[in-house]
Amino acid sequence: MADEDEFAEFLSESRDNLDLFENAMLALEREPGNERHVRDAFRSMHSIKGTSGFFDVGGLTGVAHAAENVLSLLRDEELECDALVTTALLRVADSLRAMFDLVVRGEPPAGDPPLVAALEVIARGGRPALPERAGERAIEPEPPVADAAPNEPPFAHAMARAVEAVVAPGDGGGVAAARADAPTHEPRRDVSLLPPAPGALASPTHAPPADAGGPAESRSVRIDVTLLDRLMDLAGEIVLARNQILRHAASTSDPGFLSTAHSLNALTTELQERVMKTRMQPVRGLFAKLPRLVRDVSGRCGKSIRLELSGEETELDRTILDGIKDPLTHLVRNAIDHGAETPAERAEAGKAPQVTVAIRASHDSGYVRIVVSDDGRGIDPLRVGRKAIERRLLSQAELERTAPGDLLKLIFLPGFSTASTVSEISGRGVGMDVVKTMVEQLGGTVDLESEAGRGTAVILSIPLTLAIMPALIVSTGGDRYAIPQTSVHEIVRIIPQRGDRLEWVGDAPVYRLRGQLLPLVFLDRQLELESPTAPGAAGPINIAVVQVQGRRFGIVVDRIEDAAEIVVKPLARQVQAASIFGGATILSDGTVALILDLVDMARRTRAGLEEVARHAASEQQAAGPTNTVPTTTMLVFAIGRRLLATELGEVKRIEKLHASAIETTGRGSVVQYRGELMPVMPLGDLLEAPHDTEGEFVHLLVCDRGDKPVGLLVDRVVDVVVGAFEVKRRAARHGLRGTAVVQGRATDVVDLPALLSRIAPSIRPPAGDALDGA
Amino acid sequence: MAHERQICTFLLGQQLCGLPVERVQEVLRPQRMTRMPLAPAAVRGLLNLRGQVVVAIDLRPRFGLPPTPSPTSCKNVVVRGVDGPASLLVDEVGDVVTVGDLQRESPPEMMGDALRGLVTGVYKLRDRVVVLLDAEAAISV
């Protein structure tokens, strides 16, 4: 039964991919040379080929493979996409579609040798006559189709997807996956979300309760997921209204109003949680598909794999679950195909014959972490570097300067693949860059850790829900825009009077951030607003430093306004073509703000960013050995009248907030931080430095302690200084590294890791962390 | 028997236009709006309709009129679209009128390309003429 389920899923997924492929080819015909369409087409065909390889579907894989070959040549610009090539590839779609129809009827398709032959001739640079299509005599290049489906932005797409749900009233608890091909009117007690197409289904998780007969009938009701989406929207709006009321409550002393405000607060929080729960599903359904995948892939590669799954009960919004299915599949295939050694290789290395691939899901402060790890051969940074040079992603000089840890990140660059042979399983070049893009489109991040000979771990960090996310609100040209907070690294304010300034590389603006060139994007110019900021204007310049797809750049805005939890709304059809926006949101004052899609923005500005990167490389080269003096970046801050410093790298984030935002509970001080309660520790108490209690604002140095953030309270952040500092040890004092001369003043350098380890583990946020709109 | 229908009328400049009343969700006073950069010219902004983000569309250029100088001082006719609501920026909102087939004329032959597909008919009222628009075409850009 499970196999049938998977097979049905394979069919529906492949048909979707076929549609995507066809649309990409048609888009390519309209916009010849647009490499995005080529990549999209390649990716879709690659998925079809990849999954069809697992099922015995006759000649299907052969056709897909031949098509993928041609697409790979197009992608590498070794072949030009003209009418003949387009027609041939569209013919592939027809042929595959016909084969899928055969497969559905249970007949193994024989393949399409004439088409495969024609594709092979094309791949060799020939101009074959295309085989005739059934029911058609002459072969004409198809005219471009004007009304092909536009590419929907991911948010909108995810939000707009209508599926149906079965909801059990009064049972606010768990959400389980249900099989879509089960008789749909069969009553269920579980809250279940059904995929839209009869073929696409989630795996069975809990069986329905044994007594799901007569009495359960009255407890379940079918609800269209668009209605659930609307409820979700409304819950989000109520949170915003509640926040306004709470702000008002802070400035009133009417006890009646205050108590009403408090109960409204509690009810709203619960309402929001409950509504969100209706869309949540455990990752179990997703994980359930992996054993089969592992078995098939490992069988094919002749490797012995033990699969470990944990955290299957971890819940995620179903649109996000859908979104991470492909990245997860890619990662598992990669781990087996590239990461795992053969038993012989392992014996030689003195390892147990079986490779362990572990997939673990867990909650981590508003995010879900999914770690895919293996104890295979690991990734050799030098090999990555060599490959990057081969692929012309890096110059020899750049390679020599790149730290081994950074070399691993090259794997995320588009067009990178370390597999030396093309394999049917994880292929050539679709992989980590696609994984990264897909995860980032969900507002998540991807990290990679690897040790040669020991194994590799890929860490996905994914928001619990797409619908609400933390964002930085900025304004430009009089309008406000939201930037997803997960991508924001820091905020920089350039004050020309202090000698800071923008520089230009060609026509690309840059800023020297702690000695490194940071490419800049002027938001007003990017959005073609009427009154662009004059370059080099005299006033202060605000930059939000962001990182997406491994590219770091600064977005220049007029003002940084606020940090807020926002409810993501899809954009209407009329404006979906403006892909620079991932959606819209309604701010607490009721105005609409657009959400910037940084992935798209990075893509648009790539040429400029690359030029800056090249320039930075050649500049560093010219600077030569003088650049090798080790420099440190110090964060200088004050507690009371005492100046202290710490290495900036030890601080994850700096937050400025109103002193009243810190709440005291029975177990210490806490502050609401990204939807959770974060413990706050006055740093002065650990260093016997008295705090200044007068200030209206305080700063928190947010550090990681274990996997939880903790806020260290300081009175003032003074400056960030780059230089070579000699830290002189003084008589042993706890929590201090020693003293250094920073900007001409003797400054105590704090040993944050040592201090953090001293904080009692009892400082934990109180139970019942609430996801709270800020 | 003459087929009768109800039309919600509004002014674009001096042009009296109408939409089938069942396609008009509501009429709003001037709304606060957010500019939508990089959007088609007819999209003049986004407005918050009770928590829903709705595009505001200026039809005036389709009728050969200059674009409205100030979208935030126009009234909004919210149209029920197949893909959700969208708002038309109009200069004035008129009455709902009942018209019959006898009053109907075909759209003038020499109508420009911009209006073809948009105008589905012309109805003679007692003192003036109302141009009936296709709701879906009106909110497409």
Side-chain angles (χ1 to χ4, degrees), chain A residues 282-316:
Chain A
V283 296
R284 186 180 292 116
L286 188 62
F287 279 14
K289 295 177 179 31
L290 297 174
R292 173 65 196 267
L293 177 76
V294 168
R295 181 182 171 277
D296 288 341
V297 180
S298 58
R300 204 161 291 223
C301 318
K303 293 168 182 174
S304 171
I305 308 285
R306 193 168 63 90
L307 179 67
E308 273 183 19
L309 297 172
S310 59
E312 287 121 310
E313 69 291 345
T314 313
E315 287 189 335
L316 271 173

Side-chain angles (χ1 to χ4, degrees), chain A residues 21 42 45-46 49 52 59-74 79 85 88-89 92 96 112-124 428:
Chain A
F21 166 75
F42 180 79
M45 189 50 67
H46 179 76
K49 187 196 85 171
S52 72
L60 215 150
T61 315
V63 175
H65 184 76
E68 198 199 27
N69 267 331
V70 171
L71 286 163
S72 144
L73 293 172
L74 293 180
L79 188 69
V85 176
L89 287 169
V92 168
L96 289 177
D112 194 342
L115 184 57
V116 171
L119 289 167
E120 279 165 358
V121 175
I122 289 176
R124 285 196 299 270
R428 48 200 152 186

Side-chain angles (χ1 to χ4, degrees), chain A residues 230 237 477 479 481 526-530 569 571-575 578 580-581 584 586 589-592 594 604, chain B residues 32-40 43 46-53 55 57 83 85-86 136 139-141:
Chain A
R230 182 71 191 131
E237 296 308 317
D479 282 318
Y481 298 90
Q526 201 60 43
L527 300 181
E528 296 169 15
L529 300 179
E530 291 100 45
K569 316 255 176 192
L571 284 176
R573 172 179 55 86
Q574 291 92 337
V575 288
I580 195 165
F581 302 115
I586 294 173
D589 64 355
T591 50
V592 177
L594 289 156
R604 278 164 189 260
Chain B
R32 209 151 43 146
M33 248 174 249
T34 299
R35 263 194 294 187
M36 171 93 207
L38 308 178
V43 173
L46 301 173
L47 55 95
N48 169 9
L49 179 64
R50 296 184 299 276
Q52 226 174 338
V53 176
V55 287
I57 292 167
D83 298 319
E136 230 29 66
I139 58 171
S140 297
V141 294

Side-chain angles (χ1 to χ4, degrees), chain A residues 138-486:
Chain A
I139 288 145
E140 296 284 299
E142 266 122 322
V145 177
D147 60 354
N151 290 330
E152 293 177 53
F155 291 126
H157 185 75
M159 299 293 294
R161 204 171 305 161
V163 290
E164 284 188 311
V166 183
V167 169
D171 175 8
V175 178
R179 294 233 327 276
D181 62 350
T184 41
H185 295 290
E186 179 189 320
R188 253 171 225 287
R189 267 173 125 163
D190 309 55
V191 180
S192 311
L193 298 171
L194 301 185
L201 30 104
S203 296
T205 51
H206 338 147
D211 63 343
E217 204 155 349
S218 56
R219 300 191 53 187
S220 299
V221 54
R222 291 173 61 86
I223 295 185
D224 193 310
V225 156
T226 49
L227 176 58
L228 277 187
D229 283 345
R230 182 71 191 131
L231 284 177
M232 186 80 191
D233 281 356
L234 288 172
E237 296 308 317
I238 289 180
V239 168
L240 297 180
R242 183 266 321 256
N243 291 347
Q244 280 171 318
I245 289 191
L246 288 184
R247 261 199 290 283
H248 182 61
S251 60
T252 176
S253 54
D254 177 349
F257 179 70
L258 277 176
S259 80
T260 313
H262 277 123
S263 54
L264 176 69
N265 184 10
L267 289 171
T268 310
T269 305
E270 179 165 2
L271 175 71
Q272 192 192 17
E273 280 172 5
R274 293 288 160 123
V275 172
M276 260 161 68
K277 268 232 152 96
T278 62
R279 299 179 48 90
M280 301 292 263
Q281 277 184 290
V283 296
R284 186 180 292 116
L286 188 62
F287 279 14
K289 295 177 179 31
L290 297 174
R292 173 65 196 267
L293 177 76
V294 168
R295 181 182 171 277
D296 288 341
V297 180
S298 58
R300 204 161 291 223
C301 318
K303 293 168 182 174
S304 171
I305 308 285
R306 193 168 63 90
L307 179 67
E308 273 183 19
L309 297 172
S310 59
E312 287 121 310
E313 69 291 345
T314 313
E315 287 189 335
L316 271 173
D317 189 291
R318 74 154 283 127
T319 49
I320 296 196
L321 270 180
D322 279 350
I324 61 168
K325 195 172 79 190
D326 288 349
L328 193 63
T329 312
H330 268 303
L331 290 177
V332 173
R333 279 188 198 154
N334 267 343
I336 300 169
D337 198 25
H338 302 323
E341 310 99 325
T342 59
E345 285 169 322
R346 286 181 73 87
E348 211 168 291
K351 290 162 127 181
Q354 216 173 25
V355 181
T356 302
V357 173
I359 299 154
R360 290 188 298 273
S362 58
H363 281 286
D364 178 15
S365 57
Y367 284 77
V368 165
R369 252 164 89 93
I370 298 182
V371 182
V372 179
S373 60
D374 64 71
D375 62 353
R377 60 169 70 96
I379 302 173
D380 177 4
L382 292 178
R383 203 162 136 245
V384 171
R386 278 199 302 276
K387 186 81 185 176
I389 289 177
E390 253 170 64
R391 279 287 194 174
R392 293 203 212 130
L393 300 166
L394 201 71
S395 73
Q396 184 66 39
E398 284 170 305
L399 172 66
E400 281 159 18
R401 275 194 316 274
T402 312
D406 291 341
L407 280 179
L408 287 180
K409 291 188 188 140
L410 295 172
I411 286 177
F412 292 117
L413 290 179
F416 187 94
S417 167
T418 53
S420 28
T421 53
V422 171
S423 81
E424 194 175 346
I425 294 149
S426 47
R428 48 200 152 186
V430 262
M432 295 309 281
D433 64 313
V434 179
V435 167
K436 195 169 165 70
T437 308
M438 291 197 276
V439 172
E440 281 176 354
Q441 281 177 341
L442 297 170
T445 56
V446 183
D447 237 330
L448 183 125
E449 289 166 6
S450 185
E451 200 177 327
R454 299 288 300 277
T456 305
V458 181
I459 301 123
L460 309 183
S461 193
I462 302 142
L464 278 179
T465 168
L466 270 188
I468 297 185
M469 65 174 185
L472 182 72
I473 311 295
V474 300
S475 68
T476 272
D479 282 318
R480 285 176 292 177
Y481 298 90
I483 303 177
Q485 186 75 265
T486 44

Side-chain angles (χ1 to χ4, degrees), chain A residues 1-10 55 181 199 201 292:
Chain A
M1 191 61 205
D3 290 11
E4 272 172 42
D5 286 357
E6 273 174 24
F7 193 66
E9 174 146 291
F10 150 69
F55 298 93
D181 62 350
L201 30 104
R292 173 65 196 267

